[in-house]
Amino acid sequence: MQEQRLIIISIAVTFFFSVLGIVWGILADSSMITFDGTYSLISVGLSGLSLIVLKLVAQSSESVNSKFPFGKAHFEPMLIVFKSLTLIGMCAYSSAGAVSDIISGGAPVDPGPAILYAGISTVGCAIIAFLLRERNRQIGSAILEAEKNQWVGDLLLSLGVLAGFTAALLLKNTQWGVFVDYADPVMVLVASNLFIFLPLKSMLAAGKEMMLVKTNNELRIPIEIVAAEYAQRLNATYKLRMVSIGRELNIELNFIMPPNDALTVKDMDTIRSDIAKVADTLKSKHWINVSFTSDPAWA
């Protein structure tokens, strides 16, 4: 529930800044501010989609569980990929528009109102990004991490706007004043290209999860240690497969036992329990399958 409340707060604040940015950008005739507001407006829709996915993942009714017998963890990386592609597409479109403005001779903008907007936006983005980062340290949600990345991106964008228009104001009445008209489209071009990297990073990480790429050593090694200890004790070998999907850890561990081994069901369950205890320290949600066979073909 805390996760959903944080998304709702993010949606409300994002909507406020989207309206503020679009109206302010139109009144100030600034493509940069309009870009910031439009980015925020798209983020509202994406955050709303995040909320829907969170509610779906949290559902545990019998009908929902029977519909998704292997769980719903894969919804999270799917959502992150979609969000990332949407933001990357918007940045590419804005970049093309900025190039067009630069070729046509720039776009005159009064730096004063733009600086005031950038200051308000910078403070607001910093507060929300910090809040999401601190809360997510306890939750460990990939969706909240992506949400935080959106706000970090907005924060960097606002800082860039603040720096750019401050520089334009200082240059306005100097010999370099001829370049002031290019400040707005150049900032859009720089910001939109830099902005691509944050959603790109999230998309690549989520894409690996969707393709079931094996998990990193930080998660894998603790399970390897327990599996190796039991394999040595049982005079067996083992095969371990692990993937991380959203907030869930999927573990498949197959022990290849000596022929005619006399392990009891209770012994097997003890091993499963020990594996689960280690998995609990890595991620609160996990799917564990521990099997025992004497035929390597089943491993």
Side-chain angles (χ1 to χ4, degrees), residues 68-96:
F68 303 101
F70 289 98
K72 297 160 285 185
H74 58 286
F75 287 173
E76 292 188 51
M78 287 173 62
L79 170 66
I80 291 169
V81 168
F82 176 77
K83 290 175 69 171
S84 300
L85 285 173
T86 302
L87 296 175
I88 289 170
M90 182 204 161
C91 288
Y93 178 81
S94 298
S95 180

Side-chain angles (χ1 to χ4, degrees), residues 95-107 182 185-186 189:
S95 180
V99 170
S100 176
D101 285 342
I102 291 170
I103 292 173
S104 62
Y182 290 93
V186 166
L189 181 62

Side-chain angles (χ1 to χ4, degrees), residues 4-18:
Q4 293 181 25
R5 283 198 298 269
L6 288 169
I7 294 293
I8 291 172
I9 291 172
S10 178
I11 291 173
V13 179
T14 303
F15 183 73
F16 169 77
F17 276 112
S18 68

Side-chain angles (χ1 to χ4, degrees), residues 186-219:
V186 166
M187 280 190 288
V188 173
L189 181 62
V190 173
S192 57
N193 280 279
L194 290 177
F195 234 37
I196 285 177
F197 288 101
L198 279 172
L200 184 61
K201 180 182 176 182
S202 295
M203 184 182 72
L204 290 175
K208 286 182 179 180
E209 294 185 358
M210 289 178 62
M211 291 186 292
L212 302 180
V213 174
K214 76 174 184 178
T215 190
N216 58 53
N217 287 335
E218 185 180 354
L219 294 174

